[in-house]
Amino acid sequence: MKSTQTVPVLMYHHVSPVEGMINVSPLNFEQQLLWLKSRGYRSLNTAQFAEHLCGKPAPAKSVLITFDDGYLDNWVYAYPLLKKHGFNAVVFLVTSWVNDGPVRRHLGQGELPETPQHRDCEDRIEQGRSDDVILRWDEIRAMQADGTFEFHSHTHTHTRWDLLQPADKNRHMAEELQASRTALHEHLGGVSEHFCWPQGYYDADYVRIAQDAGFRYLYTTKAFGQNRPGSDPAHIYRFAVRNTTGRSVGRRIIVAAHPVIGPLFNKWKIWKRGLRSAYAEKKAP
């Protein structure tokens, strides 16, 4: 069986017909899955992905599909479409946002619940109304039992403590991780070694704290690198999937996994970002 040296990790937040930032429409999401399916791609689970990072090349045309935060639309739209086309995915949960309650309807079950755009979700969470827009524990357990989704930590409150209380940020992060682990143990019966940084921020202290808490595989929002056998599990690259066609996402996946074009593309993108940053600094008063 052919193997791959690089596994692209796809990062989603929302799959919903409501337009907005970091949202993919159900139509485009299905087209993206169909592109993968028609070309023989397979989605890994985190255990298979961890084996790959530890030195075992994954099967050719492998990807890891991830979702951040745990929005209701992951149940309403993403779950039935993933199941329909035979793919599995990962959700990184903000555990304090998840509530109890009856399972709501998803695609194919009649009238569907509202799935607001991202800004509205943030507003409702801020107002203490996370149940309007976030998965419930019974929905999470149903998807987990079905084998379509697995669930991991994205902290307890998704707070940037380095911005709010920088002097105590390390203590707060340690508390976040413990609270998240406790919630996952209580509601799902266990917690894994996989963890995703809130808002993509981390530093050397945070990495140490996460590792001390039992997390080994740390997922970033950095796009320009390759997840290869033997690469650092504390720095997993992911690229954001836009609301675009399957063909467009497919081109990005092919580039990300290519042994020659991929590293060149990443260096070029990092160089361009460096130029933009230098220009912005010069323009600043």
Side-chain angles (χ1 to χ4, degrees), residues 42-73:
R42 59 176 290 176
S43 54
L44 302 182
N45 60 37
T46 53
Q48 294 166 329
F49 181 65
E51 287 183 346
H52 167 74
L53 292 181
C54 291
K56 178 182 177 181
K61 296 187 175 181
S62 293
V63 296
L64 182 68
I65 301 172
T66 69
F67 287 77
D68 285 6
D69 302 336
Y71 294 103
L72 171 59
D73 55 68

PDB file of all heavy atoms in Angstrom, residues 42-73:
ATOM      1  N   ARG A  42      -8.856   9.549   2.215  1.00  0.00           N
ATOM      2  CA  ARG A  42      -9.447   9.019   3.430  1.00  0.00           C
ATOM      3  C   ARG A  42      -9.168   9.983   4.576  1.00  0.00           C
ATOM      4  O   ARG A  42      -8.142  10.670   4.595  1.00  0.00           O
ATOM      5  CB  ARG A  42      -8.886   7.641   3.773  1.00  0.00           C
ATOM      6  CG  ARG A  42      -7.385   7.608   3.977  1.00  0.00           C
ATOM      7  CD  ARG A  42      -6.887   6.255   4.404  1.00  0.00           C
ATOM      8  NE  ARG A  42      -7.302   5.940   5.761  1.00  0.00           N
ATOM      9  CZ  ARG A  42      -7.055   4.767   6.351  1.00  0.00           C
ATOM     10  NH1 ARG A  42      -6.462   3.788   5.690  1.00  0.00           N
ATOM     11  NH2 ARG A  42      -7.439   4.551   7.587  1.00  0.00           N
ATOM     12  N   SER A  43     -10.080  10.041   5.527  1.00  0.00           N
ATOM     13  CA  SER A  43      -9.889  10.874   6.712  1.00  0.00           C
ATOM     14  C   SER A  43      -9.367   9.997   7.844  1.00  0.00           C
ATOM     15  O   SER A  43      -9.918   8.931   8.123  1.00  0.00           O
ATOM     16  CB  SER A  43     -11.195  11.557   7.108  1.00  0.00           C
ATOM     17  OG  SER A  43     -12.232  10.613   7.259  1.00  0.00           O
ATOM     18  N   LEU A  44      -8.324  10.450   8.484  1.00  0.00           N
ATOM     19  CA  LEU A  44      -7.743   9.726   9.603  1.00  0.00           C
ATOM     20  C   LEU A  44      -8.468  10.076  10.900  1.00  0.00           C
ATOM     21  O   LEU A  44      -9.075  11.141  11.018  1.00  0.00           O
ATOM     22  CB  LEU A  44      -6.267  10.085   9.754  1.00  0.00           C
ATOM     23  CG  LEU A  44      -5.340   9.828   8.573  1.00  0.00           C
ATOM     24  CD1 LEU A  44      -3.907  10.201   8.960  1.00  0.00           C
ATOM     25  CD2 LEU A  44      -5.415   8.389   8.094  1.00  0.00           C
ATOM     26  N   ASN A  45      -8.376   9.193  11.875  1.00  0.00           N
ATOM     27  CA  ASN A  45      -8.724   9.579  13.234  1.00  0.00           C
ATOM     28  C   ASN A  45      -7.456  10.047  13.939  1.00  0.00           C
ATOM     29  O   ASN A  45      -6.348   9.936  13.389  1.00  0.00           O
ATOM     30  CB  ASN A  45      -9.431   8.451  13.987  1.00  0.00           C
ATOM     31  CG  ASN A  45      -8.582   7.190  14.091  1.00  0.00           C
ATOM     32  OD1 ASN A  45      -7.359   7.251  14.258  1.00  0.00           O
ATOM     33  ND2 ASN A  45      -9.234   6.031  14.020  1.00  0.00           N
ATOM     34  N   THR A  46      -7.590  10.567  15.149  1.00  0.00           N
ATOM     35  CA  THR A  46      -6.409  11.135  15.795  1.00  0.00           C
ATOM     36  C   THR A  46      -5.391  10.066  16.193  1.00  0.00           C
ATOM     37  O   THR A  46      -4.188  10.345  16.234  1.00  0.00           O
ATOM     38  CB  THR A  46      -6.797  11.958  17.034  1.00  0.00           C
ATOM     39  OG1 THR A  46      -7.613  11.171  17.903  1.00  0.00           O
ATOM     40  CG2 THR A  46      -7.532  13.228  16.638  1.00  0.00           C
ATOM     41  N   ALA A  47      -5.842   8.849  16.474  1.00  0.00           N
ATOM     42  CA  ALA A  47      -4.892   7.780  16.791  1.00  0.00           C
ATOM     43  C   ALA A  47      -4.024   7.462  15.580  1.00  0.00           C
ATOM     44  O   ALA A  47      -2.794   7.285  15.699  1.00  0.00           O
ATOM     45  CB  ALA A  47      -5.642   6.534  17.258  1.00  0.00           C
ATOM     46  N   GLN A  48      -4.633   7.399  14.400  1.00  0.00           N
ATOM     47  CA  GLN A  48      -3.864   7.155  13.174  1.00  0.00           C
ATOM     48  C   GLN A  48      -2.934   8.322  12.863  1.00  0.00           C
ATOM     49  O   GLN A  48      -1.789   8.125  12.437  1.00  0.00           O
ATOM     50  CB  GLN A  48      -4.826   6.922  12.017  1.00  0.00           C
ATOM     51  CG  GLN A  48      -5.643   5.648  12.149  1.00  0.00           C
ATOM     52  CD  GLN A  48      -6.822   5.605  11.194  1.00  0.00           C
ATOM     53  OE1 GLN A  48      -7.399   6.637  10.844  1.00  0.00           O
ATOM     54  NE2 GLN A  48      -7.202   4.409  10.777  1.00  0.00           N
ATOM     55  N   PHE A  49      -3.424   9.543  13.095  1.00  0.00           N
ATOM     56  CA  PHE A  49      -2.593  10.722  12.850  1.00  0.00           C
ATOM     57  C   PHE A  49      -1.404  10.747  13.810  1.00  0.00           C
ATOM     58  O   PHE A  49      -0.280  11.081  13.413  1.00  0.00           O
ATOM     59  CB  PHE A  49      -3.436  11.985  12.996  1.00  0.00           C
ATOM     60  CG  PHE A  49      -2.690  13.249  12.733  1.00  0.00           C
ATOM     61  CD1 PHE A  49      -2.174  13.528  11.472  1.00  0.00           C
ATOM     62  CD2 PHE A  49      -2.510  14.185  13.748  1.00  0.00           C
ATOM     63  CE1 PHE A  49      -1.488  14.712  11.222  1.00  0.00           C
ATOM     64  CE2 PHE A  49      -1.832  15.366  13.513  1.00  0.00           C
ATOM     65  CZ  PHE A  49      -1.307  15.624  12.248  1.00  0.00           C
ATOM     66  N   ALA A  50      -1.635  10.375  15.068  1.00  0.00           N
ATOM     67  CA  ALA A  50      -0.539  10.324  16.041  1.00  0.00           C
ATOM     68  C   ALA A  50       0.506   9.291  15.624  1.00  0.00           C
ATOM     69  O   ALA A  50       1.717   9.531  15.744  1.00  0.00           O
ATOM     70  CB  ALA A  50      -1.095  10.001  17.428  1.00  0.00           C
ATOM     71  N   GLU A  51       0.072   8.144  15.127  1.00  0.00           N
ATOM     72  CA  GLU A  51       1.017   7.139  14.631  1.00  0.00           C
ATOM     73  C   GLU A  51       1.864   7.710  13.500  1.00  0.00           C
ATOM     74  O   GLU A  51       3.072   7.451  13.419  1.00  0.00           O
ATOM     75  CB  GLU A  51       0.263   5.899  14.145  1.00  0.00           C
ATOM     76  CG  GLU A  51      -0.316   5.036  15.240  1.00  0.00           C
ATOM     77  CD  GLU A  51      -0.981   3.797  14.684  1.00  0.00           C
ATOM     78  OE1 GLU A  51      -1.223   3.736  13.448  1.00  0.00           O
ATOM     79  OE2 GLU A  51      -1.275   2.878  15.470  1.00  0.00           O
ATOM     80  N   HIS A  52       1.229   8.473  12.632  1.00  0.00           N
ATOM     81  CA  HIS A  52       1.951   9.103  11.526  1.00  0.00           C
ATOM     82  C   HIS A  52       3.036  10.038  12.054  1.00  0.00           C
ATOM     83  O   HIS A  52       4.194   9.984  11.624  1.00  0.00           O
ATOM     84  CB  HIS A  52       0.959   9.863  10.647  1.00  0.00           C
ATOM     85  CG  HIS A  52       1.595  10.797   9.671  1.00  0.00           C
ATOM     86  ND1 HIS A  52       2.236  10.361   8.538  1.00  0.00           N
ATOM     87  CD2 HIS A  52       1.698  12.154   9.674  1.00  0.00           C
ATOM     88  CE1 HIS A  52       2.697  11.402   7.870  1.00  0.00           C
ATOM     89  NE2 HIS A  52       2.393  12.500   8.541  1.00  0.00           N
ATOM     90  N   LEU A  53       2.693  10.893  13.004  1.00  0.00           N
ATOM     91  CA  LEU A  53       3.676  11.823  13.554  1.00  0.00           C
ATOM     92  C   LEU A  53       4.797  11.082  14.272  1.00  0.00           C
ATOM     93  O   LEU A  53       5.946  11.561  14.294  1.00  0.00           O
ATOM     94  CB  LEU A  53       3.001  12.792  14.516  1.00  0.00           C
ATOM     95  CG  LEU A  53       2.017  13.800  13.916  1.00  0.00           C
ATOM     96  CD1 LEU A  53       1.452  14.696  15.017  1.00  0.00           C
ATOM     97  CD2 LEU A  53       2.658  14.644  12.825  1.00  0.00           C
ATOM     98  N   CYS A  54       4.486   9.938  14.842  1.00  0.00           N
ATOM     99  CA  CYS A  54       5.487   9.174  15.582  1.00  0.00           C
ATOM    100  C   CYS A  54       6.387   8.332  14.681  1.00  0.00           C
ATOM    101  O   CYS A  54       7.255   7.606  15.185  1.00  0.00           O
ATOM    102  CB  CYS A  54       4.801   8.282  16.613  1.00  0.00           C
ATOM    103  SG  CYS A  54       4.052   9.226  17.969  1.00  0.00           S
ATOM    104  N   GLY A  55       6.168   8.410  13.373  1.00  0.00           N
ATOM    105  CA  GLY A  55       7.104   7.763  12.455  1.00  0.00           C
ATOM    106  C   GLY A  55       6.515   6.770  11.492  1.00  0.00           C
ATOM    107  O   GLY A  55       7.234   6.238  10.634  1.00  0.00           O
ATOM    108  N   LYS A  56       5.206   6.502  11.592  1.00  0.00           N
ATOM    109  CA  LYS A  56       4.573   5.540  10.692  1.00  0.00           C
ATOM    110  C   LYS A  56       3.843   6.297   9.592  1.00  0.00           C
ATOM    111  O   LYS A  56       2.814   6.919   9.831  1.00  0.00           O
ATOM    112  CB  LYS A  56       3.583   4.666  11.464  1.00  0.00           C
ATOM    113  CG  LYS A  56       2.847   3.661  10.597  1.00  0.00           C
ATOM    114  CD  LYS A  56       1.851   2.871  11.438  1.00  0.00           C
ATOM    115  CE  LYS A  56       1.047   1.915  10.573  1.00  0.00           C
ATOM    116  NZ  LYS A  56       0.055   1.146  11.368  1.00  0.00           N
ATOM    117  N   PRO A  57       4.368   6.274   8.345  1.00  0.00           N
ATOM    118  CA  PRO A  57       3.691   7.026   7.268  1.00  0.00           C
ATOM    119  C   PRO A  57       2.240   6.579   7.105  1.00  0.00           C
ATOM    120  O   PRO A  57       1.925   5.393   7.149  1.00  0.00           O
ATOM    121  CB  PRO A  57       4.518   6.683   6.028  1.00  0.00           C
ATOM    122  CG  PRO A  57       5.868   6.305   6.559  1.00  0.00           C
ATOM    123  CD  PRO A  57       5.588   5.611   7.868  1.00  0.00           C
ATOM    124  N   ALA A  58       1.373   7.526   6.929  1.00  0.00           N
ATOM    125  CA  ALA A  58      -0.051   7.240   6.756  1.00  0.00           C
ATOM    126  C   ALA A  58      -0.324   6.786   5.324  1.00  0.00           C
ATOM    127  O   ALA A  58       0.482   7.026   4.421  1.00  0.00           O
ATOM    128  CB  ALA A  58      -0.867   8.489   7.062  1.00  0.00           C
ATOM    129  N   PRO A  59      -1.468   6.131   5.114  1.00  0.00           N
ATOM    130  CA  PRO A  59      -1.826   5.748   3.737  1.00  0.00           C
ATOM    131  C   PRO A  59      -1.857   6.962   2.814  1.00  0.00           C
ATOM    132  O   PRO A  59      -2.139   8.087   3.243  1.00  0.00           O
ATOM    133  CB  PRO A  59      -3.223   5.141   3.896  1.00  0.00           C
ATOM    134  CG  PRO A  59      -3.269   4.682   5.311  1.00  0.00           C
ATOM    135  CD  PRO A  59      -2.454   5.659   6.092  1.00  0.00           C
ATOM    136  N   ALA A  60      -1.544   6.725   1.555  1.00  0.00           N
ATOM    137  CA  ALA A  60      -1.565   7.809   0.573  1.00  0.00           C
ATOM    138  C   ALA A  60      -2.927   8.490   0.560  1.00  0.00           C
ATOM    139  O   ALA A  60      -3.963   7.866   0.812  1.00  0.00           O
ATOM    140  CB  ALA A  60      -1.243   7.252  -0.815  1.00  0.00           C
ATOM    141  N   LYS A  61      -2.900   9.793   0.291  1.00  0.00           N
ATOM    142  CA  LYS A  61      -4.120  10.601   0.226  1.00  0.00           C
ATOM    143  C   LYS A  61      -4.891  10.562   1.538  1.00  0.00           C
ATOM    144  O   LYS A  61      -6.085  10.271   1.583  1.00  0.00           O
ATOM    145  CB  LYS A  61      -5.009  10.160  -0.944  1.00  0.00           C
ATOM    146  CG  LYS A  61      -4.366  10.369  -2.308  1.00  0.00           C
ATOM    147  CD  LYS A  61      -5.331  10.077  -3.430  1.00  0.00           C
ATOM    148  CE  LYS A  61      -4.707  10.414  -4.782  1.00  0.00           C
ATOM    149  NZ  LYS A  61      -5.652  10.162  -5.898  1.00  0.00           N
ATOM    150  N   SER A  62      -4.202  10.878   2.617  1.00  0.00           N
ATOM    151  CA  SER A  62      -4.823  10.981   3.928  1.00  0.00           C
ATOM    152  C   SER A  62      -4.959  12.441   4.336  1.00  0.00           C
ATOM    153  O   SER A  62      -4.088  13.261   4.034  1.00  0.00           O
ATOM    154  CB  SER A  62      -3.976  10.259   4.989  1.00  0.00           C
ATOM    155  OG  SER A  62      -3.957   8.867   4.783  1.00  0.00           O
ATOM    156  N   VAL A  63      -6.037  12.754   5.032  1.00  0.00           N
ATOM    157  CA  VAL A  63      -6.220  14.070   5.625  1.00  0.00           C
ATOM    158  C   VAL A  63      -6.787  13.876   7.029  1.00  0.00           C
ATOM    159  O   VAL A  63      -7.334  12.819   7.358  1.00  0.00           O
ATOM    160  CB  VAL A  63      -7.172  14.975   4.816  1.00  0.00           C
ATOM    161  CG1 VAL A  63      -6.597  15.289   3.436  1.00  0.00           C
ATOM    162  CG2 VAL A  63      -8.559  14.358   4.699  1.00  0.00           C
ATOM    163  N   LEU A  64      -6.654  14.908   7.857  1.00  0.00           N
ATOM    164  CA  LEU A  64      -7.329  14.965   9.143  1.00  0.00           C
ATOM    165  C   LEU A  64      -8.258  16.166   9.096  1.00  0.00           C
ATOM    166  O   LEU A  64      -7.827  17.280   8.780  1.00  0.00           O
ATOM    167  CB  LEU A  64      -6.325  15.111  10.284  1.00  0.00           C
ATOM    168  CG  LEU A  64      -6.903  15.136  11.703  1.00  0.00           C
ATOM    169  CD1 LEU A  64      -7.492  13.771  12.065  1.00  0.00           C
ATOM    170  CD2 LEU A  64      -5.837  15.528  12.722  1.00  0.00           C
ATOM    171  N   ILE A  65      -9.539  15.956   9.393  1.00  0.00           N
ATOM    172  CA  ILE A  65     -10.556  17.004   9.326  1.00  0.00           C
ATOM    173  C   ILE A  65     -10.887  17.445  10.744  1.00  0.00           C
ATOM    174  O   ILE A  65     -11.307  16.631  11.566  1.00  0.00           O
ATOM    175  CB  ILE A  65     -11.829  16.495   8.613  1.00  0.00           C
ATOM    176  CG1 ILE A  65     -11.490  16.020   7.189  1.00  0.00           C
ATOM    177  CG2 ILE A  65     -12.897  17.590   8.569  1.00  0.00           C
ATOM    178  CD1 ILE A  65     -12.645  15.320   6.484  1.00  0.00           C
ATOM    179  N   THR A  66     -10.690  18.735  11.035  1.00  0.00           N
ATOM    180  CA  THR A  66     -10.941  19.238  12.390  1.00  0.00           C
ATOM    181  C   THR A  66     -11.913  20.408  12.378  1.00  0.00           C
ATOM    182  O   THR A  66     -11.980  21.175  11.426  1.00  0.00           O
ATOM    183  CB  THR A  66      -9.631  19.690  13.070  1.00  0.00           C
ATOM    184  OG1 THR A  66      -9.124  20.883  12.440  1.00  0.00           O
ATOM    185  CG2 THR A  66      -8.568  18.602  13.008  1.00  0.00           C
ATOM    186  N   PHE A  67     -12.652  20.516  13.487  1.00  0.00           N
ATOM    187  CA  PHE A  67     -13.571  21.633  13.729  1.00  0.00           C
ATOM    188  C   PHE A  67     -13.236  22.231  15.092  1.00  0.00           C
ATOM    189  O   PHE A  67     -13.004  21.487  16.053  1.00  0.00           O
ATOM    190  CB  PHE A  67     -15.030  21.164  13.742  1.00  0.00           C
ATOM    191  CG  PHE A  67     -15.592  20.810  12.403  1.00  0.00           C
ATOM    192  CD1 PHE A  67     -15.272  19.600  11.801  1.00  0.00           C
ATOM    193  CD2 PHE A  67     -16.453  21.681  11.742  1.00  0.00           C
ATOM    194  CE1 PHE A  67     -15.794  19.256  10.568  1.00  0.00           C
ATOM    195  CE2 PHE A  67     -16.983  21.342  10.509  1.00  0.00           C
ATOM    196  CZ  PHE A  67     -16.650  20.133   9.909  1.00  0.00           C
ATOM    197  N   ASP A  68     -13.257  23.545  15.190  1.00  0.00           N
ATOM    198  CA  ASP A  68     -12.966  24.223  16.449  1.00  0.00           C
ATOM    199  C   ASP A  68     -14.238  24.715  17.132  1.00  0.00           C
ATOM    200  O   ASP A  68     -15.165  25.189  16.467  1.00  0.00           O
ATOM    201  CB  ASP A  68     -12.042  25.425  16.211  1.00  0.00           C
ATOM    202  CG  ASP A  68     -10.608  25.007  15.943  1.00  0.00           C
ATOM    203  OD1 ASP A  68     -10.341  23.798  15.821  1.00  0.00           O
ATOM    204  OD2 ASP A  68      -9.733  25.896  15.847  1.00  0.00           O
ATOM    205  N   ASP A  69     -14.271  24.622  18.436  1.00  0.00           N
ATOM    206  CA  ASP A  69     -15.235  25.241  19.348  1.00  0.00           C
ATOM    207  C   ASP A  69     -16.438  24.359  19.668  1.00  0.00           C
ATOM    208  O   ASP A  69     -16.876  24.297  20.804  1.00  0.00           O
ATOM    209  CB  ASP A  69     -15.733  26.602  18.840  1.00  0.00           C
ATOM    210  CG  ASP A  69     -14.601  27.589  18.608  1.00  0.00           C
ATOM    211  OD1 ASP A  69     -13.530  27.418  19.235  1.00  0.00           O
ATOM    212  OD2 ASP A  69     -14.785  28.519  17.803  1.00  0.00           O
ATOM    213  N   GLY A  70     -17.044  23.714  18.666  1.00  0.00           N
ATOM    214  CA  GLY A  70     -18.195  22.845  18.923  1.00  0.00           C
ATOM    215  C   GLY A  70     -19.532  23.498  18.675  1.00  0.00           C
ATOM    216  O   GLY A  70     -20.449  23.428  19.510  1.00  0.00           O
ATOM    217  N   TYR A  71     -19.698  24.102  17.511  1.00  0.00           N
ATOM    218  CA  TYR A  71     -20.944  24.805  17.196  1.00  0.00           C
ATOM    219  C   TYR A  71     -22.067  23.834  16.837  1.00  0.00           C
ATOM    220  O   TYR A  71     -21.837  22.745  16.307  1.00  0.00           O
ATOM    221  CB  TYR A  71     -20.714  25.809  16.067  1.00  0.00           C
ATOM    222  CG  TYR A  71     -19.783  26.919  16.495  1.00  0.00           C
ATOM    223  CD1 TYR A  71     -18.461  26.936  16.096  1.00  0.00           C
ATOM    224  CD2 TYR A  71     -20.226  27.926  17.359  1.00  0.00           C
ATOM    225  CE1 TYR A  71     -17.585  27.928  16.531  1.00  0.00           C
ATOM    226  CE2 TYR A  71     -19.374  28.915  17.797  1.00  0.00           C
ATOM    227  CZ  TYR A  71     -18.049  28.918  17.377  1.00  0.00           C
ATOM    228  OH  TYR A  71     -17.196  29.881  17.831  1.00  0.00           O
ATOM    229  N   LEU A  72     -23.284  24.272  17.094  1.00  0.00           N
ATOM    230  CA  LEU A  72     -24.470  23.470  16.811  1.00  0.00           C
ATOM    231  C   LEU A  72     -24.519  23.028  15.353  1.00  0.00           C
ATOM    232  O   LEU A  72     -24.951  21.904  15.053  1.00  0.00           O
ATOM    233  CB  LEU A  72     -25.726  24.271  17.171  1.00  0.00           C
ATOM    234  CG  LEU A  72     -27.078  23.692  16.745  1.00  0.00           C
ATOM    235  CD1 LEU A  72     -27.312  22.319  17.352  1.00  0.00           C
ATOM    236  CD2 LEU A  72     -28.201  24.659  17.132  1.00  0.00           C
ATOM    237  N   ASP A  73     -24.071  23.881  14.432  1.00  0.00           N
ATOM    238  CA  ASP A  73     -24.141  23.514  13.019  1.00  0.00           C
ATOM    239  C   ASP A  73     -23.251  22.319  12.681  1.00  0.00           C
ATOM    240  O   ASP A  73     -23.444  21.663  11.653  1.00  0.00           O
ATOM    241  CB  ASP A  73     -23.809  24.708  12.114  1.00  0.00           C
ATOM    242  CG  ASP A  73     -22.472  25.346  12.417  1.00  0.00           C
ATOM    243  OD1 ASP A  73     -21.438  24.706  12.182  1.00  0.00           O
ATOM    244  OD2 ASP A  73     -22.461  26.513  12.869  1.00  0.00           O
TER     245      ASP A  73
END
